[in-house]
Every structure is written in structure tokens, then in C-alpha cells.
Amino acid sequence: MSNNILNHQIRLAARPVGFPKDSDWLHTEEPVRELNEGEILVKTLFISIDPAMRGWMNGGKSYIRPVEINEVMRAGGVGIVIASKSDQFQVGQHLSGSLGVQEYWIGMANDKYAGFYPIDPQVAPLPSYLNALGMPGMTAYFGLLEVGQPKAGETVVVSGAAGAVGQTVGQVAKQHGCRVVGIAGGQEKCDFVVNELGFDACIDYKGGSVKDGLKQHCPNGVDIYFDNVGGDILDTVLTRINMKARIIICGAISQYNNTTAIKGPSNYLSLLVNRAKMEGIVVFDYVKRYPEAVQQMSEWMKAGQFHTREDIIQGLDKFPEALMMLFEGKNFGKLILQINPSQG
Amino acid sequence: MSNNILNHQIRLAARPVGFPKDSDWLHTEEPVRELNEGEILVKTLFISIDPAMRGWMNGGKSYIRPVEINEVMRAGGVGIVIASKSDQFQVGQHLSGSLGVQEYWIGMANDKYAGFYPIDPQVAPLPSYLNALGMPGMTAYFGLLEVGQPKAGETVVVSGAAGAVGQTVGQVAKQHGCRVVGIAGGQEKCDFVVNELGFDACIDYKGGSVKDGLKQHCPNGVDIYFDNVGGDILDTVLTRINMKARIIICGAISQYNNTTAIKGPSNYLSLLVNRAKMEGIVVFDYVKRYPEAVQQMSEWMKAGQFHTREDIIQGLDKFPEALMMLFEGKNFGKLILQINPSQG
């Protein structure tokens, strides 16, 4: 059946210097081949646009191998199985995994790199599986709880507060009885995290001084800072941390497109003064515990105590543009690309 | 008896910009007053010259209040009680505490700021109580063991390896079965830590590339880095850390005299990639546990398994010069000022 289907793909053409540009991408198409024994054919429905993608485009050693030149760009996604020669997945079943920036994925159902697991659209809408119930949500959940170890009454600050990870960090922290202060770009995003997600306050870094905002909204200092942005905001928060504070290093979107060296936190000696720690988190370390987080957050969702927001862009070809939206802070909510609208 | 005695003192005259200079100090003398009830008069024998002194000279909030202008410069020291109206200390008894850069200390025996505790010259030579058995040793011992949590077979790297903290970090790590690699300035210091202290290797940062040295001497990467220096060396070690590495932030002597902002670690995202942590340590948090560390290290000393080296400068007036030696890396071993040689 499958060799009538054309698979459109976006591949990495060159390693970007600074912001990715059009010539760093290659748009290709190829017919979908026949299935072999044990394989499945997946139709991509949604893919996740993540800050981490920028790192995957660089060469060199990191927590995951780089995307090779001419390889289909790596992307987490959700899709539906449309052909199967495997016992593991049946036609019509939904799954999540590393589908790549392409319309179809073909290969062994148990492919380790793809890491497919079944998802249930009855439990939550499909885009949720790329947001709170997907990688960003797992990152937020385990980063906050395992590295941050929040205690009721503590003050938690999270940057990128309206983004995929930030939304979940703040809401999980509220569920644990913390005071939660977001940092986001623009009044609209700030209003959203306060009014719709229930944060206690939000600092608009584009509209005023983060330092003043922290003074105002964190009168008892900062016990946990969940950092998604790095740069000046990290440095400013370091001046307001409490004794034994925990800083969770999840990302540094302000620095990913630098053509010069990354700006290290000049105020890192605040860690010494305050006997505080700064610790990195990579979500893959918690893969065996994803089900407990999914169960907990979907319960909160059903109870109306947990909300998410996605910013969904239409069409595979919009991928390069969507990625730039992320670096420019133009998305509002978890950024997702819908690949085959007719099948959503 | 005491009002025939003149007390020479060195006071802070101005807050330095960059390296402290002569005009930042005020040399004063005043007669020692009569003792009141509960007070003791202590004759200073040795004082400790520490990198932390530079921070105490700055204004602003830190882990300890700044030295005020015209106040006697803060310094830890060991001395002998030469007059007492307290039950707590008898004449002839040796003690350790915050004596300041002066020949005599007078005040309440239980003064909290001074924090005196008795020491025994039979257990170890007096200068040891400002080195392995004093603040630097306690910092090294608890920083390494409590924050670092070393396991046998792991690789521990320590900068300022021939300095007061570094000597102890390396030897305690060896006692716990670790591979220990020092970083120090000059071949002589490197030879000392390898041949006399038993480190497995030492990298001469003045004689070659720290990066190459780490590649050569830490073939399995770095599990624990005990940082006394900050700056470029911290950044270089960050490129060689292992998964779940622990970086203990104890100091940043390379940065203390900066007139521009401190150089933050540009490679801090290595914490993310490696799920590693960077944590500050302040020795005062472990004050109740000092006795266990003193007992353990003095046992090792008696058994000939633990060595220390002090660099002892003579005379109160040499204090400003001695402090500069530290920032220029000219001391070889724990830097100590001997105040009253006749009483040593």
C-alpha cells in the first residue's frame, strides 16, 4: 500500500552559525517503501518545536549525538500507525516518539532511537503529549521535584514561564504548596500564567527590571530557580537566592544562537555565599518514571487544577520559521507544528 | 599587669579597588587596657593569611559581615592566654579563634565573634591549627566529604593544590581511595604534592595547558572538582567532567581582585549535559563537627599518612605584603604570619 505515498522531509543542510537560516535546511521528498517484518509506518500528526533542537544542530559531544548533515532533522512527535507488520503496534494506534521533521516514519516498531510508546487521545488531547504529558512536562516535573526538592512555603521562580517547561514547573510547584513567580516576555504572557495557570506573580522581563520584580514578588528571597534561559536573567536571580537554594539548569535559550562564547553566570559565587547548588537535568534519565508523572498530571488536568496552552503552527514547510519564533520568544505556549491537519 | 603593653594593629583604612595597596592599611598602636570580669588577654602567635580576606574587605552582603573601615583587620589565629579573669581559659592555655591582625586580643572569653576554642600543641604543632586542623582543613574536609561525596576509584581534581585547602582535599581524597590530580603553579609545587603529599599527578598551569594535562592525567574524566581558583581553570575543568560530577565551589582567588565583573563559567551548560552539580561550601556550617575532622586528621598525621606544609612569614608589619603573595601565588604551602616569634 505504502509505495504510493510521498514522504516530505526537512533535513539539516549545514551546521548553522548563530541563528539557523533558510540555507541550513534541505526540503526533500521520497516515496515510502514497503514494510519489512517487525516494521511500522507512522503518519506524523504533530511535532514538537524545542529549544534543544538548536543544540542538536551543532557538531561535538553532548548529551545526545548531533543530527548529521543531510539527516532528517530530529523532532519528537505524535503520530498514528497506518501500516504495521509488528505485534507491538496496531493500525490506528497513536504513539509518541522521535518521528523527525517529516510526514511519515518507517522502521522497526522497537527502534531504540525512535523510542515509541503508545498514547491515548481519550486521556488527553494529542498535543498535550508533546507538552505537559511529553518531554517538556517530564523535564519540568522531574527537574523540579527531583533536583529542586520543593517544600511547601518555599518560593519557586521559573523563567520561560509561559513556555512548555515553565507552565508545568509553575503548576507542579503550586500543587506542592510553593509561592510561584514566573518570568516571561510581555504582559500578555504574564497575565496568562497568573490568571490562567495560577502563578502568584509574573515578571515581564521586556517591560521592566527583573531585579526590581524579584525584590517585589519574592520578599523572602528565592529558594528554587528553574532556569530555561540563562544569560542576564540567571545572573540577576543569583543575586536574590536564599541559603541552600537550588538552581535547576534546564536550558539557556538566550545563549543558544551566540556566535561568541556563552555568557557564564558572573554571580556564580553567590552559590558559595549561600551554600547553594546549581544542577543540570536531562529528562531521559527519568524515562522509567514517566508513567507516574503522566498519571499525576492527567489527574490534575481532569480535576481542572492543571492547564496547558499550545501554540500550533500548520504545515511541515513552516518548520524553519516556527523554530525562529521560539528563539525570538514569539510563541505563546508550547510550540507545536501540525503536520497532517486532515488526520488530526 | 597589662597596661604596660603596647598592642600593634593593622586596620582597614579604605576598601581596595583591585589589589589591596599600602594606603588601604592603617598601622596603629594602643596600650592594652585592664581586664574586666570574664575577660581574657591573648597574645597572638600566628595568624592565618587567607584568600577570603579579600572578600571581607569589600562592602556589601556576604556570608559574613564586612570588616569596617578603621576596624582591626579580621584574621583567624592561634595565641596563648597571658591574663585571665574567666573560668573558661587559664593563663598559659593555647587557643584558636578570630584574633585579628594585631599582637594582642582582649575581651570576653566567650566572645561569639572571636569563637575561641582550646588547642593542644602536644597533638600537633601550632601552625597546623591554622592549616589542616584549622579553617582551611575543615573547609577541605567537609567540602570534599559532604558536598563531594567521593567514592573509591573516582577521580578528584583540586586547584590550588599546594595551598592550604588543596593539600588537605587531595590527601583526604587519597584516604578515601580516589585518584587525585592537583593543579598548581610551578613545577616545584607540583613535585611537592605528588612526591610529598602522594597525589597521583599534578598539572602545572603556568608551565602548560590545563586542558592537555586533564586529558593526560584524568583518562576517565573528572568526578569531583574542588575549585579554589575560578576563572579559566574552572571553565577548562567543566569540559572534562563526568556524568553526575560534583563541583565544589570553595573560592575563586583568580577573580577576587577584579575591577570588572567576575568571569562566570562560560561552560556551565556542561552541568546540564552531564547532570552535574556545582555547589558552594562555607565551613562555618560544620562548626559542630570540627572535632571529628581534627581527630581523624591528627590520627593520619601521627601515623605518618598525612603531611602539611606551611609558608611562615615573620612579623606583623609584613601582613600587607604577605596577603599580596597569596594573590600572586608566591606562597608555597599554607601562608601564615608569625606575630611574636619569641613566644612561638
Side-chain angles (χ1 to χ4, degrees), chain A:
Chain A
M1 59 139 300
S2 44
N3 47 9
N4 292 329
I5 304 178
L6 264 187
N7 183 17
H8 293 90
Q9 304 158 318
I10 297 185
R11 295 169 183 268
L12 184 65
R15 303 215 177 277
V17 178
F19 288 103
K21 53 190 181 307
D22 284 351
S23 59
D24 296 327
W25 302 111
L26 190 67
H27 297 247
T28 57
E29 58 175 44
E30 60 182 32
V32 171
R33 63 171 169 79
E34 289 294 332
L35 285 184
N36 296 317
E37 208 52 48
E39 290 190 330
I40 54 175
L41 176 63
V42 182
K43 182 165 189 166
T44 310
L45 300 176
F46 297 96
I47 65 171
S48 177
I49 311 286
D50 294 298
M53 287 175 154
R54 184 61 187 83
W56 303 341
M57 297 163 76
N58 294 332
K61 192 189 154 200
S62 187
Y63 65 95
I64 193 171
R65 70 165 182 79
V67 175
E68 299 301 331
I69 299 296
N70 289 325
E71 187 182 356
V72 172
M73 179 62 192
R74 179 186 296 138
V78 296
I80 184 166
V81 178
I82 58 168
S84 175
K85 288 194 172 181
S86 159
D87 294 340
Q88 208 179 325
F89 289 100
Q90 281 76 54
V91 170
Q93 207 171 355
H94 290 87
L95 53 67
S96 179
S98 192
L99 290 168
V101 186
Q102 58 184 346
E103 292 172 341
Y104 297 92
W105 185 96
I106 190 169
M108 294 297 287
N110 61 1
D111 183 278
K112 278 201 172 164
Y113 180 72
F116 292 129
Y117 55 93
I119 58 175
D120 184 353
Q122 304 302 314
V123 170
L126 288 176
S128 291
Y129 289 97
L130 299 178
N131 191 1
L133 305 184
M135 270 216 312
M138 299 300 108
T139 303
Y141 189 91
F142 292 106
L144 176 69
L145 298 184
E146 294 300 316
V147 181
Q149 299 278 335
K151 287 178 270 296
E154 288 192 321
T155 298
V156 175
V157 172
V158 57
S159 54
V165 172
Q167 291 181 18
T168 298
V169 167
Q171 292 182 94
V172 174
K174 284 304 296 177
Q175 292 286 345
H176 282 78
C178 297
R179 173 172 179 80
V180 176
V181 177
I183 302 175
Q187 198 54 50
E188 199 185 0
K189 288 180 183 174
C190 283
D191 290 345
F192 163 71
V193 302
V194 172
N195 300 331
E196 294 186 46
L197 304 185
F199 286 32
D200 296 286
C202 187
I203 301 164
D204 173 11
Y205 74 88
K206 291 182 175 169
S209 145
V210 173
K211 187 168 191 173
D212 293 346
L214 290 170
K215 274 186 198 169
Q216 181 184 345
H217 297 299
C218 308
N220 300 320
V222 177
D223 298 297
I224 296 179
Y225 173 49
F226 196 109
D227 188 29
N228 293 307
V229 303
D232 291 334
I233 291 178
L234 171 56
D235 249 337
T236 304
V237 178
L238 275 165
T239 67
R240 308 293 303 169
I241 59 173
N242 286 335
M243 292 278 284
K244 294 280 174 194
R246 290 81 76 196
I247 296 179
I248 301 140
I249 300 294
C250 175
I253 196 171
S254 72
Q255 304 294 306
Y256 290 164
N257 293 288
N258 286 9
T259 50
T260 55
I262 279 182
K263 181 197 178 316
S266 303
N267 296 325
Y268 84 102
L269 289 177
S270 175
L271 298 177
L272 195 170
V273 172
N274 294 296
R275 300 76 156 155
K277 71 170 180 176
M278 187 182 274
E279 185 166 345
I281 189 242
V282 173
V283 68
F284 306 136
D285 297 347
Y286 299 94
V287 77
K288 284 185 184 156
R289 294 179 57 195
Y290 288 180
E292 75 184 74
V294 170
Q295 192 191 337
Q296 176 64 82
M297 288 192 280
S298 46
E299 274 173 26
W300 289 333
M301 281 181 192
K302 279 180 207 158
Q305 299 165 338
F306 194 100
H307 307 276
T308 63
R309 177 172 175 140
E310 291 93 27
D311 191 338
I312 301 181
I313 309 298
Q314 302 295 329
L316 183 81
D317 290 346
K318 290 285 173 61
F319 170 75
E321 198 177 314
L323 188 62
M324 281 305 300
M325 283 178 65
L326 203 62
F327 297 129
E328 290 164 353
K330 287 187 179 162
N331 59 306
F332 188 169
K334 166 62 193 163
L335 192 62
I336 289 176
L337 199 62
Q338 188 161 14
I339 303 296
N340 282 303
S342 59
Q343 302 277 338

